[in-house]
Amino acid sequence: MLELTDVTKEYRVGGQSVRALDGISLRIEPGEFTAIIGPSGSGKSTLLHLLGALDSPDTGSIRFRDKEIGDLDDDRQSEFRRHQVGFIFQFFNLLPTLSAWENVAIPKLLDGTGLRKAKPRALELLDMVGLGDRAEHRPAELSGGQMQRVAVARALIMDPPLILADEPTGNLDSKTGASILRLLGDITRDGNSVVMVTHDMGAVRYCDRVITLRDGLIGSTELVERTDDGEVRTVPVSPDGTTAAAGDAGVVRA
Ligand SMILES: Nc1ncnc2c1ncn2[C@@H]1O[C@H](COP(=O)(O)OP(=O)(O)OP(=O)(O)O)[C@@H](O)[C@H]1O
Ligand SMILES: [Mg+2]
């Protein structure tokens, strides 16, 4: 669905430059839940921003369904984001004065659909994330996990093929976080791709693929395998994600 080739991104602040991404090549497959992990400053958020056309690479190519998106102008970037991408953030980013269903419907509103017309689908999505009975609640009247469920529903209302999440469980306790991770796994069943940046190693068990960044480079790519007895292990694969790579399979820590 998404293919990055030799992508670099440098930030210049004052006279200094920081190479946030130093030549990244990877593929995001339809129907896969991909985790991006790595130390602070390794380039995870920068990479996610490029995947979602919130920013452009300096060099290299980013192809979405065989069309280059790395060089879109501002208008085309926001058009791409509106229709192809759903974003989920650590701090939910809900509008406090709006009800849960109105928050879910906001992307439709921004795309020119009236709020009332968007309501049935917003209610359907709230139902899907287990909040059918909280549609009229405002964010302050919801728990953290419930707020993140509203944000997941909002990310889905435009029916985007790509969902991007930056630390979606960073502000939740582990049990609530696990329910959000299961929900993110569920939405890949219809062929949507979910890419999630996380510090939480325990989150890996809910994913299909794990990409580890180190200093703006891909350190490793692993596939997550589940055995019948419920054990989860990671198997290293080559950078293009297809063939087995040298290295041992590891059991995922809880
Ligand atoms: N807007 C910016 N301007 C200048 N430098 C930036 C900017 N954003 C990120 N950087 C630098 O680029 C590098 C990668 O940053 P990035 O935010 O992608 O890291 P990260 O892996 O998401 O880290 P964290 O886990 O702490 O969120 C860092 O060295 C950071 O200081
Ligand atoms: Mg980050």
Side-chain angles (χ1 to χ4, degrees):
M1 172 173 303
L2 258 179
E3 184 165 17
L4 277 67
T5 312
D6 286 330
V7 166
T8 69
K9 180 74 187 175
E10 213 165 85
Y11 293 110
R12 280 164 219 91
V13 180
Q16 238 196 336
S17 72
V18 176
R19 195 154 248 244
L21 298 177
D22 198 14
I24 297 268
S25 300
L26 59 83
R27 293 164 62 95
I28 303 296
E29 307 289 349
E32 265 194 0
F33 186 3
T34 302
I36 298 174
I37 63 174
S40 180
S42 57
K44 303 182 298 295
S45 294
T46 303
L47 176 58
L48 205 72
H49 291 165
L50 296 185
L51 296 179
L54 285 165
D55 209 345
S56 316
D58 294 334
T59 62
S61 112
I62 304 180
R63 297 181 75 79
F64 175 79
R65 293 180 167 168
D66 293 327
K67 269 178 67 184
E68 180 64 37
I69 61 153
D71 57 3
L72 298 179
D73 62 29
D74 286 355
D75 285 351
R76 293 225 164 84
Q77 273 189 338
S78 58
E79 163 89 8
F80 172 81
R81 287 196 299 270
R82 208 161 42 233
H83 292 281
Q84 311 293 351
V85 191
F87 291 96
I88 300 167
F89 304 96
Q90 177 172 358
F91 296 103
F92 324 131
N93 292 17
L94 301 179
L95 294 174
T97 57
L98 299 184
S99 67
W101 79 261
E102 288 168 332
N103 267 286
V104 173
I106 278 284
K108 284 279 191 196
L109 194 67
L110 299 178
D111 199 43
T113 305
L115 211 50
R116 288 282 142 195
K117 208 168 156 211
K119 189 171 185 179
R121 181 66 182 143
L123 294 178
E124 214 171 85
L125 285 166
L126 278 177
D127 219 28
M128 191 201 94
V129 301
L131 288 179
D133 56 348
R134 296 290 192 277
E136 299 295 341
H137 285 229
R138 288 178 211 291
E141 296 158 353
L142 296 169
S143 70
Q146 289 170 339
M147 283 192 265
Q148 195 60 301
R149 282 168 189 280
V150 173
V152 171
R154 179 184 55 190
L156 293 174
I157 195 154
M158 299 298 287
D159 211 6
L162 180 64
I163 314 289
L164 301 177
D166 200 346
E167 300 279 1
T169 61
N171 214 30
L172 304 174
D173 63 72
S174 60
K175 192 165 158 245
T176 310
S179 79
I180 294 294
L181 292 166
R182 272 193 291 273
L183 184 59
L184 293 177
D186 286 346
I187 60 186
T188 61
R189 289 215 188 110
D190 303 326
N192 299 319
S193 304
V194 177
V195 182
M196 168 179 72
V197 165
T198 184
H199 276 106
D200 175 10
M201 278 307 295
V204 161
R205 64 174 50 248
Y206 298 92
C207 300
D208 302 307
R209 186 184 293 263
V210 186
I211 295 172
T212 305
L213 292 189
R214 277 191 201 95
D215 295 331
L217 288 164
I218 294 186
S220 65
T221 303
E222 294 158 291
L223 294 181
V224 181
E225 289 184 350
R226 292 167 192 81
T227 58
D228 288 342
D229 53 7
E231 191 168 89
V232 178
R233 53 179 214 145
T234 57
V235 182
V237 288
S238 62
D240 71 0
T242 49
T243 51
D248 293 327
V251 174
V252 173
R253 285 88 36 214

